[in-house]
Amino acid sequence: MYSKTLSASLYGLSGERTWVEVDAGRGMPVFSVVGLANQSVREAKERIHSAIINCGFRFDPGRITVNLTPANRKKDGSHYDLAIALGYLYSSGQMAEGEAPEAMAFLGELSLDGRALPAEGVLPMLTGLQRSGIRTVMLPAANLEEAKLVKGLLLVPVNGLAQAAGWLNGEEKLKPVEAAGAAGLGLTPAEIPDFSDIRGQEMVKRAAQVAAAGMHGMLMIGPPGVGKSMVGKRIPGILPPLSYAEQLDVSQVYSAAGLLREGRPMVRERPFRAPHHSISSAALIGGGSRPRPGEISLAHTGVLFLDELAEFSSHTLDMLRQPLEDGVAVIDRAGGRCEYPADFMLVAATNPCRCGFYGDPVKPCSCSESDRKRYMSRISGPLLDRIDLHVVMERPVYGEMSGAEGKRTGSAELREGVMRAHAVQAARYDGLGISRNSQLTAALIERFCVMEEGCRDIISAAFSRLGLSARAYHRVLKTARTIADLEEAELISPLHLSEALSYRLPEKYFG
């Protein structure tokens, strides 16, 4: 007999309907799975065989063929188990209804004793199913909280194959749950350290505020121990909370990566990712034989902090160039192409040379000129061009460290300005598909980065003196627009432009 059930496949963050056809008939005992199934899908036959028997159903010897359609797309994951097992029960005549409901999808892995185990990537798969018109989904009870984020779906949570079959047969009483979504803004975790812990470095704190206000990339360069890492780790504490739409976007990435924990079905705070400099290109950008999101996608809408930037592989760093420009990580494989969102704020820190003391007024540098250039050459010009703010950090004086002199700006004060600037940008770009200055295109820069008299002379002189590229020129204007927004100014003044130009890396550190 033939039966057909509905499940879903995941390509990047795109969930698509996948039909599971099962034909059980006479012949030599064989259980074959076709339709470009990978190893985890082909192993389903062993799990399903044991689960069916251990749940009290019969497993008749014979020829069983499972086809996953469309057959021209690769199928990954173990979440097809429930659909295949129920398909077999229908095709072998063990289900009272005779055929599976076509308007209902089934997701979930099965253990050998028939328990329904949670599946990875449920959130984007359900979103895709909903777009294709499916309104009812049966899935493991452990995935229920995550699934309830997709408003409008009718969810049937089950603990195992026996309960699923019993409910479909009308023998088991289960109450379907209507997904209502979730409400509320994201959170700023209290455990994020405060900028007031950093004594001195007020100019760097200002640069961090500008970067956060427009979600601009920021590179800090300076000798060891001046506070570069401390600044980077505190930036998430001055960013505005995630909107509900942003929470859903980030949660889908974490769902696809299998990082949504039980009791935490939704990412409510801005991500902060700080990978070690030994990370591989695939781990940073995403990929693998079974493509998964990388660190840049896990940092989507949040901060990617790369400490000791010059210690990273130059090949790995250069792979950041396209995502920084487009906000998307594209992974091409022989079996297809998938995309993950990667609109993150890059915060990086590095020493100016291997010994760390080039340009330091106290400790002399022990590196030769060629050694220094070789060390910094890992940070390519095109990558540097894509980072909006370049900040040189110097060692603080004793009076600042002891607290005897100078102010100690805290996160609350910095965050107040950031929130004000984000509100200005949200109102300005309403309906344009962007929400902050770092997303401005060349056409929108011309429209919104309007300068006062005198700015043209400043930018003209800086263009030749700093050797700005067209990209760097646009990034200076975007930074100037953010500085103006912090003061709620409509036009970019010469003062705003001069400050934006000051955030470019001096040639002596890179040349």
Side-chain angles (χ1 to χ4, degrees), residues 178-423:
E178 185 170 354
L185 289 175
L187 309 172
T188 300
E191 62 268 18
I192 295 179
D194 198 281
F195 267 98
S196 61
D197 300 334
I198 303 174
R199 302 193 178 192
Q201 305 295 4
E202 291 299 314
M203 294 300 293
V204 182
K205 292 181 184 180
R206 165 65 176 179
Q209 183 185 44
V210 172
M215 294 296 282
H216 301 287
M218 174 177 168
L219 169 65
M220 296 171 284
I221 183 169
V226 296
K228 302 186 295 295
S229 299
M230 292 181 71
V231 171
K233 293 173 181 176
R234 283 159 176 75
I235 286 179
I238 65 174
L239 293 174
L242 288 173
S243 67
Y244 181 64
E246 289 175 324
Q247 292 177 48
L248 276 178
D249 287 345
V250 182
S251 297
Q252 289 190 62
V253 176
Y254 277 68
S255 177
L259 295 179
L260 289 181
R261 303 188 301 269
E262 190 172 351
R264 184 180 178 266
M266 192 172 196
V267 178
R268 301 292 298 275
E269 63 279 345
R270 289 195 182 272
F272 177 79
R273 306 293 298 187
H276 190 261
H277 57 73
S278 62
I279 191 171
S280 67
S281 301
L284 182 65
I285 307 301
S289 57
R290 179 188 175 190
R292 297 175 70 87
E295 289 291 332
I296 63 172
S297 295
L298 296 174
H300 179 59
T301 72
V303 174
L304 178 69
F305 180 46
L306 301 183
D307 204 0
E308 305 295 348
L309 186 68
E311 297 289 345
F312 284 77
S313 158
S314 58
H315 172 70
T316 298
L317 289 181
D318 280 340
M319 293 190 73
L320 288 171
R321 286 153 57 175
Q322 179 265 330
L324 280 173
E325 199 74 24
D326 301 333
V328 175
V330 180
I331 301 172
D332 285 309
R333 292 292 182 268
R337 173 191 178 105
C338 64
E339 296 183 356
Y340 293 107
D343 191 2
F344 57 92
M345 176 182 175
L346 175 63
V347 178
T350 187
N351 296 328
C353 62
R354 185 164 293 282
C355 79
F357 296 106
Y358 176 72
D360 188 79
V362 178
K363 292 188 177 182
C365 175
S366 61
C367 302
S368 67
E369 186 70 10
S370 60
D371 287 341
R372 185 188 64 80
K373 288 186 176 181
R374 188 181 306 113
Y375 182 75
M376 292 299 290
S377 67
R378 293 188 181 183
I379 309 172
S380 68
L383 174 61
L384 195 67
D385 226 20
R386 288 168 166 81
I387 302 176
D388 297 353
L389 282 74
H390 309 152
V391 184
V392 177
M393 294 183 66
E394 300 176 351
R395 62 175 69 243
V397 299
Y398 173 74
E400 293 174 330
M401 292 300 298
S402 64
E405 59 184 64
K407 61 182 294 190
R408 289 174 61 183
T409 306
S411 294
E413 182 179 345
L414 296 174
R415 191 168 188 260
E416 182 181 348
V418 171
M419 294 290 289
R420 186 169 59 249
H422 273 256

Side-chain angles (χ1 to χ4, degrees), residues 32-90:
S32 60
V33 181
V34 298
L36 282 185
N38 76 345
Q39 186 65 25
S40 62
V41 182
R42 291 196 300 270
E43 288 176 350
K45 58 187 179 182
E46 307 298 339
R47 295 190 297 269
I48 291 168
H49 179 273
S50 296
I52 287 174
I53 292 175
N54 289 324
C55 286
F57 298 101
R58 71 177 190 275
F59 195 91
D60 301 325
R63 183 176 183 84
I64 302 168
T65 303
V66 177
N67 180 38
L68 305 178
T69 62
N72 62 340
R73 298 294 297 269
K74 282 193 172 182
K75 317 298 187 306
D76 294 318
S78 56
H79 61 275
Y80 301 101
D81 289 6
L82 184 60
I84 296 173
L86 290 171
Y88 173 77
L89 295 179
Y90 277 113

Side-chain angles (χ1 to χ4, degrees), residues 144-217:
L144 179 61
E145 292 305 313
E146 177 184 350
K148 284 162 69 174
L149 299 176
V150 187
K151 187 175 181 180
L153 284 181
L154 193 64
L155 307 170
V156 184
V158 295
N159 294 317
L161 176 61
Q163 190 177 38
W167 184 79
L168 290 168
N169 275 333
E171 302 164 355
E172 188 87 23
K173 290 186 178 180
L174 287 176
K175 186 177 181 181
V177 177
E178 185 170 354
L185 289 175
L187 309 172
T188 300
E191 62 268 18
I192 295 179
D194 198 281
F195 267 98
S196 61
D197 300 334
I198 303 174
R199 302 193 178 192
Q201 305 295 4
E202 291 299 314
M203 294 300 293
V204 182
K205 292 181 184 180
R206 165 65 176 179
Q209 183 185 44
V210 172
M215 294 296 282
H216 301 287

